[in-house]
Structure formats: C-alpha cells, structure tokens
Amino acid sequence: MNPSGTGITITNHILEQQYASAGATGAFTHLLNEIVMAAKIINSETTKAGLVDILGSTGRRNVQGETVKKLDEFAHGLMVDRLYRSGHVAMLASEEDADPIDPPRDTKVGEYIVMFDPLDGSSNIDANVSIGTIFSILKRVSTGPECTMADFLQPGFKQVAAGYVLYGSSTMLVYSTGNGVSGFTLDPSVGEFLLSHPNITVPQRGKIVSANMGYWDYWDDNLKNYLRYLRAKTDTKPVYSLRYIGSMVADIHRTLLYGGIFLYPNDTKDPKKPWGKLRLLYECNPMGYLIEQAGGLADTGKGRVLEVEPTELHQRVPFIAGSREDVEEAIAFISGQRCE
Ligand code: AHM
Ligand code: MG
C-alpha cells in the first residue's frame, strides 16, 4: 500500500513536526491540514474531469491575460474557502485574483499569509497531462488591524513552509517546513496521503535539461552557449536529455527526484515579457524553497531566487533551478564566465 512501508500519514507527519517545535500552538498544523483536504478534493475533481462538464474554458481571462479553465476556478474557490475556514489565515492571494483576497465577513483570522497557484499548468488539463497546486506560507509582518502589501511582498527566504500537489499518474503532496523535503502519495483506496518519499534530496548533478526550446530565438547568446554545451557529448559529460512537460509542478518534481536543470529564462525580444513567465511569489519562491531544502539551487541568473525583494503581487522572474552543479554551471555560462 505504502511504497516505503512506513505507514506514516501526512497528518501524523505534520503533527510530529508540531510536537518537535517548541511553542507550536497547532495553528500551523490546522492550516496545513486544510491544504491536504483541499488537495484531496481537487484531486477528486481532476480525475473525474473527463466525465463531467467541468473541462474546457469559461471564456474569461485572468489577471495575467490567460484563458481561465473551469477547474482553475474550482480549485481557487476551494483553496480560499478551506484556508479561511482554518481560522489561522490573515490573508490570501492567488494567481487567479489580481488583488489579495479579503476574508469573508465574521471570519476568525490568524497570523499566516498563504499565496498559491490553485491549478498550475492548466493549459494541459484537456490533454490529461499532469497539473498541480503550489503554495507558499509566510507569517504576517504588519501589526495594524488590516494586512498590508508588505505582508505579501516578503522575500522567499522568509517562507515558513511551501509545497505542491502533483495530480499525475499518482497524486503526490510534497512539502517542507524548513527541515528537508517530504513527499506523500495519495492512496486512493483509503483516501490518505502516505509518506512515500522521506527526505527528498536532489542529486548534485543530473543529465536532464527542461526548458521550452521553442523560445530559442528569444534567448540571449550566453544561454544558447550553455544549451549547446549540454547537447554536445564530451569526455567529461553525457548528452543531456530534453524533458519538458510544460507543467512546472511536474517538471520540478522530476528535477527533484532525478536531478538536472529546469529553466524558464527571460525573453530578450518581447518587451511585454522581459522577465519570462513564472511568478515569483506563488511559483518560483515555493519551488525555490523546496529545491534548496532538497540540496539544490534556484537562481534568477543574477542571484538567489529566495533573496529577490518582491515589488508586486504577480511579479515574474527568470527561474533556473535544479542540481547544484548544473545550476552553478548554467550561471557561469549565463554570466559570460564560460562559453564552452
Ligand atoms: P499557469 O500558471 O498559467 O498554468 O502557467 C505556468 C505554467 C508552468 O506550469 C509551466 O512551467 C509554464 O507555464 C509553461 O509555459 P510555456 O508554455 O510558455 O512553456
Ligand atoms: Mg495557473
């Protein structure tokens, strides 16, 4: 039933972390458990998506100008409801909403800020390709009666937890509270996430590169030199395999397990996309946190992702993450220190 045979449920695991942390009140545990519950419900909807009239576009566009799929809306609404229901959230923000989301009236609020992408990779839904939910948890920093933008615009190293749910060939929840990375697989027969991947560690070097090569013409020469280097066999390195799913959660999950490098660089030719596509606060920061917690690196090409000072809620950054040696090598090329 449980691939590792340990039989540890995610609820046990979260509770164990709570007991190990002096002064923990259980608020954080309750919050994470609401995310687990939301993950189970979103999973159930995604797996029956082909059976009911939930697939397909609503025809509306989100704040990023992208077509919103019905499942995105469902996942967004569910995350908002469940997280506020925990009573421990100060305020929420989602990829699907231009502004932070106010708590419903008369809701008990708490001290945590949660930012999330409710259904990442949603353009893949209709093709039955893996999609995911990403979340980032911070502590509120403002002290007044209402939250301010400063609560959301905190650098990624301030995260107290981050994780993702991958709706794939099996459903997994991977999270970290700053003590390494743990992965749980949903056993559909009992409806529980069971510890299947304790202490995930990204290999120091991989042999997979993951990037949308269709954008080749929009990338700068230093980056192209790096990618040419990866596809050449030398005495010291193999030819790197290309794997790109186009769902960040799935691409990062594979990178965590197998190693290698994931890149979503900036576009040098489109003035509307000078920072690439991926959003700092609810995509790159949580994934960067997990990659670092697993022993890898996450960089913008100009520095550590987790140290970027955010300026806007939906800010985008270039994202280069994966095995430590691969990312270091990529940065050497991107900065022009190496060209072959
Ligand atoms: P989304 O949050 O609107 O789904 O967009 C993010 C997704 C990532 O999952 C993925 O890495 C990227 O967009 C793929 O973009 P592209 O099609 O430009 O390669
Ligand atoms: Mg999305």
Side-chain angles (χ1 to χ4, degrees), residues 66 95 117 120-122 212 215 244 248 264 277 279 283:
E66 297 149 347
E95 180 190 317
D117 181 351
D120 180 70
S122 49
N212 186 339
Y215 300 140
Y244 187 70
M248 186 193 202
Y264 205 114
K277 176 180 183 187
R279 276 63 51 126
E283 291 177 330

Side-chain angles (χ1 to χ4, degrees), residues 288-304:
Y289 182 84
L290 292 168
I291 289 269
E292 283 198 4
Q293 282 291 320
L297 293 177
D299 206 281
T300 62
K302 293 193 172 147
R304 189 175 166 222

Side-chain angles (χ1 to χ4, degrees), residues 36-47:
V36 172
M37 192 60 204
K40 289 182 190 172
I41 299 171
I42 296 168
N43 176 65
S44 140
E45 289 304 311
T46 54
T47 50

Side-chain angles (χ1 to χ4, degrees), residues 15-33:
L15 276 170
E16 274 167 24
Q17 306 243 330
Q18 179 194 323
Y19 300 146
S21 154
T25 59
F28 189 55
T29 302
H30 193 175
L31 182 63
L32 284 175
N33 276 327

Side-chain angles (χ1 to χ4, degrees), residues 62 64 66-67 72 95-96 117 119-124 134 211-212 215 244-251 262 264 273 277-279 282-283 316:
N62 71 8
Q64 326 281 344
E66 297 149 347
T67 309
D72 292 33
E95 180 190 317
E96 299 297 341
D117 181 351
L119 216 57
D120 180 70
S122 49
S123 65
N124 280 320
I134 311 173
N212 186 339
Y215 300 140
Y244 187 70
I245 297 166
S247 274
M248 186 193 202
V249 175
D251 281 316
F262 172 87
Y264 205 114
K273 289 207 301 177
K277 176 180 183 187
L278 299 177
R279 276 63 51 126
Y282 43 80
E283 291 177 330
R316 299 170 194 258

